[in-house]
Amino acid sequence: MLRAFAALWLLAAAPASATDSPEAVCSLRALFTAQKSYLQEKDRYSEVPAHIGFAPDECVDGTQALSPHPVHARGCHFIYSIETLGPQKRDFRAEALGVVGPWKGTRFELRGDGRVLRADGSLTQVKCEEAPRELAPLVRFFETVQERDCTLPPPSPSHACHVALSDMVRLANEGMGLAQRLYAARPFARALKLREPVAPFISLCATDERPQEERERAAETLAQRGALAEAVLSRHCGEAGVRTGLRRLLAPGAAPCPGTTCLPLLALARKAPEHKRVLQTHTKAVAAELMALRPSERASAFNAVLGHSTAAAAALAQLMEGTPVAAGALPASESDPVTARLILDAEQHTPQAALALRASRELASDGGLSAPTFEELLTSDCASLDRALPRRLSPAQLQRLSKEAARCPDLYVSRLAPEAAGLPAKDLPALLAPLSPEQRAPLRDKLGLHEGPRAEALVVWVAEHAPELLPAMHITKEVARQLLSPELSRHLGGRSAVREALVGVSADSNWRIHHEAYELLTEDFPWPLPARPPRVPPGPPPGDEPSRSGDFGLLRVVEDKGTRDLYVQTPGSSVERRLTTSGRVAGNHMQAAPVALSPDRRQVAYAEWVSPPRPAPGASQPPYVSGWSSLHVVRTDGKEHRLLVELGAPPPGMARQEAGSLVWSDDGTRLAYAVHTHGGPGTTEQCPSTELFEVQLASGAVRRIPHERLRGRVRLVRWRSTKPELVLEEECGPEGPLPPRMAEPTPTPDFAAWLDLATGSVLRRWSSGKLSLSPDGSEAFREARRQHSVRHGSWPGRAEASSAPHPVGVFEEAGLVVQPRLPLGIPSRYRVALLWLHREPSALAVLHRLQGYAPECAGVEVPEPTLARLDLLTGASQVLWRQRSGVRILSLSPDDAWVLVGLLTGATEPALMCGPLRYERMYAVRLQDLERTASLRELRERAIPLTPPRTWNTDSAGYLGWVRR
């Protein structure tokens, strides 16, 4: 504002033919800054300049441009108006209009992006920062006031405010009108002991305690000069002066209207007694002045002059333009005579306004729109019709409005949306038929299709004419049966396409599918799916020989009507190779099959089990072997089946033997297996005695492996031929009390153990989680099962060691007893799993929050894992994505190309007490897709499905590992 004023001082010397006005351009830029500040505070723009703190400077002689609009900002030669745009007033335009002097009739426009344009649309060239401020005598005063405020008397003559006020008083004494107005607003300037300038404006408008007689004399003097209205409307005039001037200007017999100051004076006097009298005595003139305003300015004038609310003023302005208005929006005609006159004139002279008023009166009477009025409204343009129609329409009116859907589709959709759910199902097809699929999309969740009976009544029409509405339907068993029927499925691409859309790879998680419908849809599911070509992997790193396409497949156990066999499944292929035919592969759906893969992954060692014969009636069960009874080897191409070991009856005195886990030696020549014996001395059901055996692949010879006593069920992890050494996990550990700080509240603590095959000694390390070894066997990692107290935010990254006795991390070989080489500070109530990469010293770290497990509600809780890549050399980690719901990462292929994952595919309606049941599907995903793909939907589209959908749970769908085909 200061720079704008400095430019005003030069206006007297500015030629009339100048292209740009510094006054207008600089003031508009100041208005733009004020609007931006207002937007930050209110989240919208304002049409009233005073609301945003915008007040352009008047001329140096104290005069201002006059405006017929009560809320225009007035400067020296220009008046300023604002028009807000957009549904939430998120944009605006402003205009500077010259009304006096050489700039009369000149227009400049301010756009919402800050540009100031001339009337011809060209950009102005004024640089406000280059205005010669030294020529403006009041520049020092404005600079000081802007910096120090100067609203109180200065404490000493040397104070900056004292110097600035002295300049202002001196200029006022010399007759400068602007200085005199500034002096009137600061009565404490009299304390400077300077000669007070005697001016009628000061006598009337000063904010000090002046005699009323002096103000009356000043008002008389200004009235004789024709400057009283300008003085009263000045922003420097105090309240006492405004009241005095208004009484004279609006006195009986005065003629404020018509006139340039009519509406601004009435707006200023809205709370004064004279206001109501002027509206009654000058009704026609005031109404004419209001109608003479531009249509965009009328609403704010009705608010300022007549006192109507913003909504009522906007409705009255719409009526003046002939635009229909909603019921109850107009101000009451008896509120004041000017409002009654405006409504009467609109009804008599504007046909569209008469229709709008008639519709408004009918709606206000609660009788609804009459048929003739409704038909006349339908001839209006879409915007006018939208404002005129009531909030709720009857079914008959909706049916009639549907004929206008082609002309006003957005209006029809917006009016149909709140009514659709309550309409009878039989009426919806006719109401939706005029709309295109794109226009019906916003109505998808408004039609009540989530209700089973309604979905069943409309499924035929939806499938045949509006399949885009299917995702909103409640898929009950009857709806699913209808969709699978030949008549409807052909509209949707066939039965397979229906199944795939509802429960397959393309399904969204918002399908509402009843669990009975899910069973129907997945019954006799056509499996395997048609082949899908695998995605082309990226090129191998330099010096690395890439695996051939399809070189690795997944080993899987399949249960079918009580039989269990092994299959090899290749991602992207519709053919599964069957490895066994006996149907007796050991294990069950709650227990994984005992299987071991050879080091080159071309042979599979698997176990079979035959149930023992039933004892004779009355006889006790003789000793028997559980777990498995025979050990076999088969190539992954399905050839060379061999029986290696067949277990006989337990030794005398033993109640039962349980055959356990298997492991290959690193050289691929031998197999080791564990046998747990129950009933011997020092054994319990939880802690049986364990013995280890080895069998030669070439000869089939079996021998016992000598070792110190092992207690509890043992899981064989790795057999190193070069050391020689067996790495295993032991449940119960040594007999006797546990070492200090190793007490565990559970009955079966876990130990990682290293068995020296040369001496039979066992080195045990406390391990609170599952142990895994790197592909080369040089490093170990244990999966956390307990809660550890760590510093918040320490994972992932080069983490600080956990303060718990047994930190989680990557250890050097068998060194679990010391601090890990790469500690992973796991946040409390979280666990982490590590998937070792085979071709580079890296691993995928999968972190997720521990959740409670309720067996009766399996398939309800869906974890939200976080995935990171861990550099095993430096310990640095990179988070790839966080808390992605519906992803279970299970295993990584030996060529680091594929990842076995379970992905969420949908959910049913709430099932009893457990809530909605989630369903998943097993997929093979390229590692690069898993790391880079942003959304679950996109990941499903890029993945290759391996299984039909099934209830979400924590097992691996029978997948046992990756083999070389």
Side-chain angles (χ1 to χ4, degrees), residues 433-445:
L435 299 175
S436 66
E438 293 75 16
Q439 294 164 351
R440 284 193 291 261
L443 295 170
R444 192 174 73 175
D445 299 324

Side-chain angles (χ1 to χ4, degrees), residues 903 929 932-943:
L903 300 180
D929 290 338
R932 302 173 187 174
T933 304
S935 66
L936 177 62
R937 180 186 181 90
E938 185 179 356
L939 188 61
R940 284 198 303 258
E941 292 174 349
R942 290 174 175 265

Side-chain angles (χ1 to χ4, degrees), residues 455-480:
E456 293 170 1
L458 291 169
V459 61
V460 175
W461 184 84
V462 169
E464 293 179 347
H465 300 95
E468 69 278 359
L469 301 180
L470 276 175
M473 300 195 77
H474 184 185
I475 309 299
T476 64
K477 188 174 183 179
E478 178 59 28
V479 171

Side-chain angles (χ1 to χ4, degrees), residues 52 62 98 118 285 386 533 586 643 736 743 759 837 874 906:
I52 62 175
R118 305 183 184 98
D386 189 18
L643 172 64
T759 64
L837 271 71
T874 65

